Amino acid sequence: MSTRSFTPEDDPTGDDGRRSGRAQAMRVARRVLRMARPPLRMLAAELGTPYRPGVPLFGSSPRRWVRLLPYAVAFVFAVTLLPTGINILHNDYGLAGGLAGALATAQSVPLLLAVTRPLQAWWVIFAADVVCAGVLSGLDGVVGRPWPWPPTVIVGYLALMVALSMRERRRTLIAVWLSTGAAGVLFKAVVPAGSQSSWVLMFVLAGVVLLLGGALRERGDAQRRLREQETISEAERARRTLLEERTRIARELHDVVAHHMSVITVQADSAPYRISGIPQEAQEEFGAIAASARESLAEMRRLLGVLRSEETERQGAPEKAPQPGVGQLRKLVEATVRAGVPVELVLPDEPVALEPAVDLSAYRIVQEALANVVRHAPGAPTRVSVTTTGDGTRLTVLVVNEPPAPPVSAPLETSGTGHGLVGMRERVRLVDGTLDTGPLPDGGFRVAAQLPLSAPPATPTPPSAKDSETP
């Protein structure tokens, strides 16, 4: 029987097979490295980019004790963990005194930095904890004791996690947590015999602290953004109310201005027929004045179309009722009395000649004040007084309501839109008057306005150099 010896070429486990296995393993390693490169790059970017460095925790709080609280807490942890850490590393684990002091200092003192730069403090403390775990792995003192993280290391690290969670972004917190777990997994491969593994405890507690702290911080940020949005919304609402009132006043004054412009047009057109002996140049000048007045009226109608309210647009036609004045206050008071509000009205004994804008403003102020009484203090006795001052230059509008008599009726509205007082202020400002509003000591409310009997004088335009030349 013949025997045949195998050559290396015939051996399937020869060099070719080994080279093929190594090549396949290298391909797998490269593929894994290629897949892990983006997450590692993102991890490094998050760990290297602190959020708002240098800004103290709670630095924006208006209370001084809240701003100082993080410094006090960090100081207490630092002065407590420093001697405790030296004692445990030197006496319990058998580490040399100088090295124990250096490592304990690097693990505790950076907590003071965590108040303003928690991520930079984490780099220092995490590096010191890793070095400490590596040094302790070669000592006999780890037998029967926690490793790789001693108790003082865990306490200081959790305090650092609180500072991190109150400042850094969510992805940074995840990166810190994963780095903590990765360090524990790597140390698990070289765990000393007889030691008590503490990396799982550290990993779980750090995750819980980061999760709770991050959730509280995000909730606080959401509440702060909500308050800012509410402030912005309130400011926008007040501005919108002011613009609406100004638009309403402009629409109402359109009739007054249009009346004056119409009178100017009629007078300019009829002047050549009413006055005899007018030169041709003067007739042409009157014609130009009438044409300009008609163009101004046309422009005012276009302006009114822009200012027309949505309600008027839905009605399909502009309001045709004349604008009210002080003469219509009796009807207004009668309607308010029918609504269940006892109102006493005092008017001047003799009719007062008022400018149209002043007349309309006085009526609207009384109307808004009575509307507020009906909405917010139904049944409250109210006194409306419209009088002139002693020197006869100003008109005083006073509306005072007392608290409602028992049984007190529930207010129709508990919160208003703010249109009433804003409208009063705008109307008073329009005619160069003054307004005083506010609650009374007995619980009532007072609205007092003073309006000039004549329109405020226009600011004179300074003559140009050309106009000042003498012919």
Side-chain angles (χ1 to χ4, degrees), residues 248 329 332-333 336 341 343 361-378 380-385 397-402 419-425 427 435-438 445-449:
R248 177 186 172 191
L329 285 179
L332 176 63
V333 169
T336 307
V341 177
V343 181
S361 296
Y363 179 87
R364 293 302 187 192
I365 290 173
V366 175
Q367 184 184 42
E368 294 289 354
L370 292 179
N372 288 337
V373 174
V374 173
R375 286 194 298 263
H376 303 290
T382 306
R383 185 174 185 271
V384 178
S385 173
V397 180
L398 180 64
V399 182
V400 179
N401 69 273
E402 302 174 1
H419 285 66
L421 294 179
V422 172
M424 294 180 193
R425 295 190 188 99
R427 294 181 185 279
L435 179 69
D436 181 22
T437 63
F445 200 85
R446 174 177 179 268
V447 174

Side-chain angles (χ1 to χ4, degrees), residues 30-95:
R30 282 196 297 269
R31 189 179 299 111
V32 172
L33 183 61
R34 193 181 305 113
M35 295 174 58
R37 190 175 301 165
L40 291 176
R41 188 181 296 114
M42 185 186 69
L43 186 69
E46 291 297 329
L47 294 178
T49 309
Y51 179 70
R52 298 173 63 192
V55 179
L57 295 175
F58 306 143
S60 59
S61 175
R63 298 181 178 87
R64 187 170 182 269
W65 70 269
V66 175
R67 296 194 300 269
L68 296 177
L69 181 62
Y71 293 97
V73 174
F75 179 77
V76 170
F77 272 99
V79 300
T80 303
L81 293 176
L82 178 58
T84 306
I86 295 175
N87 181 62
I88 290 179
L89 293 178
H90 179 64
N91 296 332
D92 295 350
Y93 287 85
L95 191 63

Side-chain angles (χ1 to χ4, degrees), residues 139-162:
L139 300 179
D140 296 335
V142 299
V143 177
R145 292 185 172 84
W147 186 89
W149 317 121
T152 53
V153 170
I154 295 177
V155 174
Y157 199 79
L158 294 180
L160 178 61
M161 293 300 100
V162 173

Side-chain angles (χ1 to χ4, degrees), residues 4-351:
R4 180 174 178 269
S5 61
F6 288 97
T7 62
E9 290 78 7
D10 298 329
D11 189 2
T13 61
D15 293 340
D16 291 342
R18 285 193 294 271
R19 282 195 295 270
S20 177
R22 284 197 299 270
Q24 184 176 2
M26 291 178 64
R27 286 195 297 271
V28 173
R30 282 196 297 269
R31 189 179 299 111
V32 172
L33 183 61
R34 193 181 305 113
M35 295 174 58
R37 190 175 301 165
L40 291 176
R41 188 181 296 114
M42 185 186 69
L43 186 69
E46 291 297 329
L47 294 178
T49 309
Y51 179 70
R52 298 173 63 192
V55 179
L57 295 175
F58 306 143
S60 59
S61 175
R63 298 181 178 87
R64 187 170 182 269
W65 70 269
V66 175
R67 296 194 300 269
L68 296 177
L69 181 62
Y71 293 97
V73 174
F75 179 77
V76 170
F77 272 99
V79 300
T80 303
L81 293 176
L82 178 58
T84 306
I86 295 175
N87 181 62
I88 290 179
L89 293 178
H90 179 64
N91 296 332
D92 295 350
Y93 287 85
L95 191 63
L99 186 56
L103 289 175
T105 301
Q107 292 169 343
S108 57
V109 173
L111 290 174
L112 300 174
L113 178 64
V115 176
T116 56
R117 291 177 171 83
L119 190 59
Q120 290 89 329
W122 174 81
W123 278 105
V124 177
I125 293 178
F126 184 68
D129 292 345
V130 171
V131 171
C132 179
V135 172
L136 294 181
S137 63
L139 300 179
D140 296 335
V142 299
V143 177
R145 292 185 172 84
W147 186 89
W149 317 121
T152 53
V153 170
I154 295 177
V155 174
Y157 199 79
L158 294 180
L160 178 61
M161 293 300 100
V162 173
L164 270 173
S165 64
M166 300 302 293
R167 167 60 54 80
E168 298 300 330
R169 298 176 294 268
R170 182 183 302 180
R171 289 185 298 182
T172 303
L173 300 183
I174 295 176
V176 169
W177 185 56
L178 293 178
S179 300
T180 304
V185 171
L186 292 177
F187 278 123
K188 183 176 174 58
V190 292
V191 58
S195 62
Q196 299 177 1
S197 178
S198 59
W199 78 271
V200 175
L201 177 64
M202 177 79 138
F203 184 63
V204 173
L205 291 180
V208 171
V209 173
L210 290 176
L211 177 63
L212 294 178
L216 291 176
R217 176 185 57 81
E218 291 181 356
R219 181 175 180 270
D221 292 342
Q223 290 179 341
R224 185 179 64 255
R225 287 193 296 268
L226 180 60
R227 287 193 298 268
E228 293 175 354
Q229 188 62 40
E230 289 177 349
T231 303
I232 295 174
S233 300
E234 186 65 27
E236 291 295 331
R237 190 180 302 111
R239 178 171 178 80
R240 186 175 65 250
T241 300
L242 177 63
L243 293 178
E244 289 176 356
E245 286 301 317
R246 288 181 176 177
T247 303
R248 177 186 172 191
I249 295 171
R251 290 197 307 269
E252 293 177 350
L253 289 179
H254 166 269
D255 292 342
V256 177
V257 180
H259 170 72
H260 292 309
M261 295 299 297
S262 300
V263 171
I264 294 174
T265 305
V266 172
Q267 288 178 339
D269 278 333
S270 63
Y273 305 99
R274 292 183 293 104
I275 305 174
S276 60
I278 297 179
Q280 183 63 30
E281 293 80 3
Q283 294 182 12
E284 294 176 355
E285 189 69 22
F286 278 121
I289 293 174
S292 298
R294 281 191 290 269
E295 291 179 0
S296 300
L297 279 174
E299 294 297 332
M300 287 191 59
R301 293 189 186 97
R302 296 190 185 97
L303 177 61
L304 181 63
V306 175
L307 297 177
R308 185 176 293 122
S309 63
E310 296 179 359
E311 290 78 6
T312 305
E313 291 178 355
R314 286 195 294 266
Q315 293 171 3
E319 298 177 358
K320 296 181 175 61
Q323 296 297 342
V326 174
Q328 285 74 36
L329 285 179
R330 294 189 183 278
K331 294 182 179 180
L332 176 63
V333 169
E334 291 174 0
T336 307
V337 171
R338 287 195 297 269
V341 177
V343 181
E344 177 186 355
L345 177 63
V346 177
L347 293 176
D349 297 333
E350 299 293 335

